[in-house]
Amino acid sequence: MKNIVTKLIATKCAKLWREEMEMKVLMVPALRIYLATTRPRKVNLTAFLSFCPKRLKYQYLKMSVEKISEVAADIEELSLVHTDRNDPDFSHTADGELLQALRRFKRLKVLRIEEICRINMIDLNELCQNLPDLEYLHVHITDDVDQFDFEGLYIAEILKSAIPKLQVFLFDTTGQESAMNALTKCCAENLPNLRVIQDFSSRFSSFEDYESSNEITCTSGSSNLRHLTVKFDFVESCDHLPSAFPLITHLKILWRPNVNAEEYNLTALLQLTHLENLEFSNVPKDIFHLFVEKFGLNLLEISINYDNDVGDEWVELSTGYSLSHLLASCPKLERLEFRANFKEDLEPITFPSNFKEIKMMFMSLYDNEHLRLTDILRAPNLEKITFYDCYFDIEDLRSAITFIREKKMLSKLKELHFALFTTVNTFNSDCFKEIAAFIKCVAASLPDIQVISLDIFYLNGFIGYAPLARSMDIGRVTNDEIFFITEFFQTQIVSSGFVESFVDEELIAILEDYRC
């Protein structure tokens, strides 16, 4: 029974709809047995609440937290994680009953409430006063954050008192962006223990990183901040940043092509001495080159993004590097993400020995047309691949399938993710069939594969292929539980011919077996 309920509490719902009866007769009793038999130190409610109808999620979240606080108040981690690629849904604000239950977790080190309910800034401060050991906090703050003067000493002293041990403080808000920026600045200047404020400065970073973060000796009283985000519309100058935050390991720069990098002195950030991770968006390529030349020998992760949709501004999409040149400049590189063009390589690409993850997005058929899929997939130690709307050459896909079957590539792959940007009118059935064949080959041929996903991007949101295809197959065209399925059917004509070419039962089964 213990093993069964432990497995059940960790299993996400894959159904097209949710029923409260399932919560009452299955999931809630399973949670009670789980708490009584395992005496857990960590409780994750993410999968448990995935079985709950959307309209009842807050009710069952509150009930669950109250139950946990009664029988397992000594837990160290309580998590509700947002795992969907779409923005989280916040239908409620934490009320007194939920806050009272949360205050009972006196030993809590990690609190993550990433969806369902927001929390008032005043209530958050009071809650944290009752959680003295809190080290990791991720919440969504209501718009009452707009009412605070974060430049005053009073609020700084309140924050110091409320979260003295906090290392990671992740938050978003329904309030104004200026208030969020002011809170970020206040935390950075007054809470020296914090390593991460507001958000990670790397697309590759996650909760797991906070426990295994690189230990660098911090001088007493100086800032321990490791993640720094520089925004063109927020920072006035970069001159003071290296001395104010000397231990930065992850640097994100969000820029626009018409903003003068010299005026803000971006090159002052070259004085940082511990950089391991870069995430650059629309940063001039000469600046990008300076950082690669200065820090390349120690870089572990790079994300480079040039967005060709920034109003009337023209963006040069080229990095100025060939992929081989960039990789050779960064011999320790483990992860690379790019929405950018590379120069053509005249020699075969050599990957660093520790290189294990790549994310790619091609904006058109002509982006990186010389960069063959088979060249990239030859990286010998790849563990995770993500394709965002990549335009694949069908023959290249077929070659990759052959190499995989012959055990000549991707022998260590653990995760494979696709996101296709398509509508009924733009759907390419031939390319889709080859992508489906590629996924089937991966599932059948690679012994270490654990997770495979395929999402359809539509109306600025993601829909899982499996639930969308199953909805088509049974003719269910509305769904209040899964984002964008209703919109997909309401905004376009889905013909029987499209359904026939889109629905693949074998592919659906594979995606359901290998879902995360």
Side-chain angles (χ1 to χ4, degrees):
M1 181 63 73
K2 177 181 175 180
N3 291 338
I4 290 172
V5 296
T6 299
K7 177 70 173 177
L8 185 57
I9 291 298
T11 300
K12 290 184 68 177
C13 181
K15 294 183 177 181
L16 288 179
W17 53 88
R18 314 290 192 262
E19 298 177 359
E20 185 182 7
M21 185 60 67
E22 197 158 41
M23 293 297 293
K24 288 182 175 180
V25 304
L26 178 63
M27 298 308 297
V28 171
L31 178 62
R32 288 174 178 157
I33 297 171
Y34 171 74
L35 295 173
T37 59
T38 65
R39 301 295 299 172
R41 284 282 177 258
K42 304 176 182 180
V43 177
N44 190 330
L45 293 173
T46 308
F48 169 80
L49 287 169
S50 71
F51 287 83
C52 185
K54 190 181 297 183
R55 60 185 173 82
L56 299 174
K57 279 185 180 288
Y58 181 71
Q59 172 186 325
Y60 277 90
L61 167 64
K62 185 164 65 172
M63 180 275 296
S64 304
V65 173
E66 289 174 341
K67 182 63 179 177
I68 297 165
S69 72
E70 292 169 1
V71 301
D74 59 345
I75 62 170
E76 296 179 356
E77 293 186 15
L78 179 63
S79 301
L80 171 58
V81 183
H82 179 67
T83 58
D84 197 294
R85 281 180 172 162
N86 298 304
D87 291 337
D89 181 36
F90 294 98
S91 55
H92 291 77
T93 298
D95 61 18
E97 294 174 338
L98 177 59
L99 292 167
Q100 182 179 359
L102 289 170
R103 284 194 288 268
R104 296 193 186 109
F105 300 116
K106 301 298 184 182
R107 298 184 182 179
L108 206 63
K109 294 182 179 179
V110 174
L111 177 60
R112 305 170 70 187
I113 304 179
E114 300 177 12
E115 58 183 11
I116 300 178
C117 76
R118 308 179 183 93
I119 185 168
N120 290 322
M121 188 69 197
I122 294 175
D123 290 335
L124 180 63
N125 282 327
E126 183 181 349
L127 173 63
C128 291
Q129 294 278 2
N130 288 272
L131 306 177
D133 294 330
L134 202 61
E135 296 178 359
Y136 187 108
L137 176 64
H138 190 169
V139 292
H140 190 102
I141 304 171
T142 64
D143 57 8
D144 78 321
V145 72
D146 296 341
Q147 303 170 14
F148 285 81
D149 176 16
F150 289 107
E151 294 184 2
L153 293 177
Y154 176 69
I155 187 63
E157 292 302 318
I158 290 178
L159 289 172
K160 285 181 182 179
S161 172
I163 46 180
K165 295 184 180 180
L166 200 65
Q167 296 180 24
V168 178
F169 182 19
L170 307 181
F171 61 88
D172 205 342
T173 177
T174 50
Q176 298 179 17
E177 185 177 6
S178 59
M180 183 172 68
N181 291 338
L183 175 56
T184 301
K185 184 172 184 288
C186 178
C187 290
E189 293 176 348
N190 295 283
L191 300 173
N193 285 339
L194 284 175
R195 295 179 176 221
V196 186
I197 304 172
Q198 200 273 310
D199 197 3
F200 291 111
S201 297
S202 167
R203 295 178 191 267
F204 296 105
S205 292
S206 64
F207 166 71
E208 287 71 21
D209 296 333
Y210 116 93
E211 292 182 311
S212 60
S213 58
N214 184 24
E215 286 301 326
I216 306 171
T217 303
C218 177
T219 305
S220 177
S222 65
S223 172
N224 200 25
L225 196 68
R226 308 303 173 89
H227 288 241
L228 176 65
T229 297
V230 176
K231 300 179 184 178
F232 72 93
D233 58 349
F234 178 46
V235 68
E236 295 179 0
S237 172
C238 298
D239 291 338
H240 69 290
L241 295 177
S243 57
F245 310 113
L247 303 184
I248 295 299
T249 56
H250 296 65
L251 175 64
K252 178 194 291 188
I253 301 179
L254 305 176
W255 219 247
R256 287 182 75 93
N258 67 341
V259 178
N260 189 335
E262 292 183 4
E263 181 180 337
Y264 291 82
N265 196 13
L266 275 181
T267 54
L269 297 171
L270 292 166
Q271 298 172 37
L272 293 168
T273 57
H274 297 287
L275 279 187
E276 297 176 349
N277 308 73
L278 298 178
E279 181 179 332
F280 285 0
S281 180
N282 294 322
V283 173
K285 67 179 181 181
D286 59 324
I287 301 292
F288 176 55
H289 286 203
L290 289 175
F291 277 87
V292 171
E293 291 165 7
K294 174 72 181 292
F295 301 105
L297 293 178
N298 295 314
L299 288 178
L300 303 178
E301 301 170 359
I302 293 177
S303 174
I304 181 72
N305 171 44
Y306 290 110
D307 189 352
N308 58 358
D309 185 20
V310 285
D312 297 328
E313 302 167 32
W314 180 80
V315 180
E316 184 181 4
L317 302 179
S318 175
T319 63
Y321 282 110
S322 69
L323 185 55
S324 280
H325 185 185
L326 179 61
L327 295 173
S329 302
C330 308
K332 295 182 181 179
L333 199 68
E334 297 177 359
R335 297 177 175 89
L336 173 65
E337 177 187 57
F338 61 87
R339 184 184 182 185
N341 289 336
F342 289 97
K343 293 180 178 179
E344 184 171 4
D345 281 300
L346 302 179
E347 300 291 335
I349 300 172
T350 301
F351 290 87
S353 59
N354 292 329
F355 191 76
K356 56 188 177 184
E357 180 176 357
I358 191 164
K359 298 181 182 181
M360 296 181 288
M361 182 174 185
F362 298 164
M363 282 76 75
S364 78
L365 184 62
Y366 305 104
D367 290 338
N368 293 305
E369 56 184 338
H370 52 271
L371 194 59
R372 294 177 58 83
L373 178 64
T374 46
D375 293 335
I376 294 172
L377 300 187
R378 288 184 188 279
N381 297 311
L382 268 181
E383 296 179 2
K384 184 176 181 179
I385 303 171
T386 304
F387 297 114
Y388 283 107
D389 199 32
C390 294
Y391 288 75
F392 297 108
D393 177 81
I394 289 180
E395 290 303 318
D396 203 17
L397 266 174
R398 289 172 179 167
S399 297
I401 291 171
T402 299
F403 287 131
I404 292 171
R405 284 177 179 155
E406 295 175 351
K407 313 294 184 184
K408 293 181 178 178
M409 62 170 53
L410 300 183
S411 60
K412 298 182 180 180
L413 192 68
K414 296 178 180 178
E415 294 189 33
L416 174 64
H417 302 277
F418 280 92
L420 305 181
F421 291 40
T422 189
T423 65
V424 170
N425 292 331
T426 61
F427 180 69
N428 185 326
S429 61
D430 291 335
C431 185
F432 180 76
K433 288 177 182 177
E434 293 304 323
I435 291 173
F438 183 87
I439 291 174
K440 294 172 186 177
C441 178
V442 166
S445 306
L446 302 182
D448 292 337
I449 194 71
Q450 299 170 5
V451 178
I452 303 175
S453 72
L454 171 59
D455 290 329
I456 306 300
F457 186 83
Y458 184 72
L459 290 181
N460 297 316
F462 291 94
I463 317 170
Y465 167 81
L468 179 60
R470 281 197 285 136
S471 298
M472 287 185 193
D473 195 36
I474 65 175
R476 187 183 178 102
V477 298
T478 60
N479 193 310
D480 295 331
E481 302 296 337
I482 303 176
F483 286 116
F484 294 105
I485 285 185
T486 300
E487 290 81 358
F488 187 91
F489 290 105
Q490 285 183 344
T491 55
Q492 52 189 347
I493 299 174
V494 180
S495 66
S496 58
F498 176 80
V499 173
E500 184 177 347
S501 60
F502 186 81
V503 176
D504 185 323
E505 293 290 350
E506 182 183 356
L507 180 59
I508 293 172
I510 288 172
L511 294 171
E512 290 180 342
D513 285 343
Y514 287 92
R515 60 194 174 91
C516 58

